Amino acid sequence: MNVTRTARAGRRTVRLAAVTLAGATVVALAPTAATAAGGTAAPPAVSADAAARVDLGPELRAVVERGSSTAALGEARENGRRVWRDATGVADLDSQRPARADGRFRIGSVTKTFVSTVTLQLADEGKLRLDDPVEHYLPGVVPNGGAITLRQLLNHTSGLYDYLSDPRFLFEDEASLRSYLADRRWKTWSPAQLIEVGVQAAPYFPPGQGWHYSNTNYVLIGEVIRKVTGHNWRSEVDRRIVKPLHLNDTTFAGARTGVPGPHAHGYAKLPEGPADITLINPSFGDAAGDGISTTADLNRFHAALFGGKLLSPARFAEMTTAVPAPLIFAHYGLGLIRYDLSCGEVWGHTGGIPGYNTLWLGAKDGTRQFSLSYNLTQGSETDDTLTTLNAFIEKASCGPAGAATTDTRTAKSPFTLLP
């Protein structure tokens, strides 16, 4: 999922559930140290490159001071060692308590990578085939489902309409925002209802004939997991990824409205002041984006996935085979985004949901990873929002030299919010 904003002809549109904070450029920093028999190996020394990236404090503060966010928290790791972690801003505007670096947050579309990883594990186990049509697993659910493969769902080449583009999931003005805050944010959506919205609309293009981000794809993948395993996708992600990696602060909310543990609040802009939008029913996200995590947990997941601990080499090669995704100035694999920076490739995903935005990226070889959560007040973004994010991303990825050369006027480098 991705919460998307655009400002066109003075009109701002917010997609409630799935903001694809895409076009983001970023690398980052690292996996957990290997555990040897009888104990834990000492992590390697921090490299000179890591030292050049490590002080991201000024860039983090700029995300809040100039970027219309109330809080921001980030962590960077390299070769199993945390090289930087910090938080800035406030946990909530009423108390003005400082935000915590270990706080939890909604991760939006980063959920997709967890779901994709489970799907590829099932393929490794011979329980499904990526080039099978979705009709084989969910008969009668998707029109033309015999022509749409699981692979096309995973890399957004199915052509299926994004249910989150439906007006029921949008607020476009003050009146619809007030309606959402008063009523619509509490609604429980079932996967079947979300899929119905997506498949009743006309597709963007015939299967395999283009690329368009669609959250409908991943709700369908969640239902395929249920059909193949007999368990819902949350149970399988928990059993296969969360528990083995000890991601103790990672949960998948379903219809639960709160964020457990310490967390910063999210807000939306109203004329009388910011409206707290922290409590929502995230069932509209389902397998496309209802996750909650921390920067530390996300970095451990990245290190395990890119370090070869979760998939066979052949399946990981399929996951990182990316198709052009021009709408986000990137390439998209199977639940992964590849961004090409001045200093090379970075891999991961971005995500957004009302009140919360996430960047989760790192090196393809698993040696470095970086996570950032920031609470952008919806409706308050400016050009400085992208400028501060790009400066942060480039420094985290490429060091100070990369940050100095970032040009936020170009399409290639800036962190771009999907239209």
Side-chain angles (χ1 to χ4, degrees):
M1 276 185 7
N2 295 315
V3 182
T4 300
R5 303 148 202 255
T6 60
R8 273 194 195 142
R11 180 169 173 262
R12 215 177 272 280
T13 298
V14 180
R15 288 189 189 175
L16 288 185
V19 120
T20 286
L21 303 179
T25 54
V26 96
V27 172
L29 296 83
T32 315
T35 301
T40 301
V46 178
S47 71
D49 284 346
R53 281 187 289 265
V54 71
D55 185 13
L56 294 165
E59 288 75 22
L60 187 75
R61 289 190 293 275
V63 171
V64 170
E65 293 167 3
R66 295 169 44 217
S68 303
S69 295
T70 56
L73 31 148
E75 183 193 82
R77 296 191 180 204
E78 179 153 342
N79 293 323
R81 176 172 295 199
R82 178 187 294 154
V83 295
W84 173 82
R85 185 171 78 165
D86 201 359
T88 190
V90 296
D92 67 90
L93 294 177
D94 289 335
S95 73
Q96 294 289 301
R97 291 178 295 111
R100 290 176 48 164
D102 63 348
R104 298 188 190 186
F105 48 87
R106 301 188 189 277
I107 64 174
S109 282
V110 176
T111 304
K112 289 181 173 69
T113 312
F114 286 90
V115 173
S116 177
T117 301
V118 167
T119 307
L120 293 168
Q121 288 179 339
L122 292 169
D124 263 337
E125 295 162 13
K127 295 177 180 176
L128 56 77
R129 293 184 297 182
L130 299 182
D131 293 314
D132 277 347
V134 65
E135 179 72 14
H136 178 76
Y137 301 96
L138 304 175
V141 173
V142 181
N144 199 29
I148 298 173
T149 67
L150 301 188
R151 190 185 305 276
Q152 289 167 339
L153 296 178
L154 289 167
N155 68 9
H156 298 296
T157 60
S158 71
L160 292 173
Y161 177 77
D162 182 1
Y163 68 86
L164 286 174
S165 294
D166 186 273
R168 282 168 283 188
F169 300 97
L170 302 176
F171 53 82
E172 300 180 301
D173 52 28
E174 181 185 334
S176 58
L177 172 57
R178 290 188 186 279
S179 167
Y180 174 73
L181 291 169
D183 179 47
R184 285 187 291 143
R185 66 164 153 173
W186 309 119
K187 178 177 173 60
T188 297
W189 292 86
S190 70
Q193 289 173 315
L194 300 174
I195 291 167
E196 184 178 15
V197 175
V199 301
Q200 284 185 342
Y204 298 115
F205 46 78
Q209 299 302 305
W211 188 89
H212 199 291
Y213 196 88
S214 175
N215 293 283
T216 306
N217 293 325
Y218 274 77
V219 179
L220 285 165
I221 286 292
E223 290 303 283
V224 169
I225 292 172
R226 183 197 302 272
K227 186 67 175 286
V228 168
T229 66
H231 307 114
N232 66 49
W233 67 267
R234 294 179 187 87
S235 298
E236 289 298 307
V237 170
D238 193 60
R239 180 174 73 85
R240 293 167 173 270
I241 300 174
V242 173
K243 283 187 168 62
L245 297 182
H246 304 290
L247 307 182
N248 298 326
D249 295 320
T250 298
T251 57
F252 298 91
R256 296 187 297 274
T257 59
V259 179
H263 59 277
H265 287 220
Y267 296 90
K269 183 181 179 181
L270 282 174
E272 65 270 26
D276 195 312
I277 204 168
T278 306
L279 297 178
I280 59 171
N281 181 333
S283 60
F284 63 78
D286 194 65
D290 79 0
I292 294 171
S293 193
T294 62
T295 57
D297 274 10
L298 290 183
N299 284 341
R300 282 196 291 272
F301 173 44
H302 194 287
L305 176 60
F306 286 83
K309 296 179 181 178
L310 296 176
L311 297 172
S312 68
R315 207 61 70 181
F316 182 70
E318 287 188 88
M319 192 181 202
T320 52
T321 299
V323 299
L327 291 176
I328 60 172
F329 306 108
H331 287 73
Y332 203 96
L334 306 183
L336 285 174
I337 305 174
R338 188 193 90 204
Y339 298 113
D340 298 322
L341 305 186
S342 59
C343 57
E345 298 177 357
V346 292
W347 291 83
H349 216 289
T350 59
I353 198 165
Y356 296 85
N357 299 281
T358 303
L359 292 171
W360 173 70
L361 296 151
K364 188 178 180 181
D365 65 4
T367 59
R368 292 170 287 138
Q369 41 279 146
F370 155 78
S371 298
L372 168 70
S373 171
Y374 61 102
N375 299 85
L376 177 64
T377 300
Q378 294 190 191
S380 297
E381 60 279 342
T382 67
D383 288 344
D384 264 358
T385 303
L386 297 184
T387 300
T388 58
L389 289 172
N390 277 312
F392 189 93
I393 288 163
E394 284 287 342
K395 186 174 180 182
S397 306
C398 305
T405 60
T406 302
D407 183 355
T408 58
R409 296 168 299 176
T410 67
K412 182 177 180 181
S413 177
F415 182 85
T416 305
L417 304 180
L418 277 186

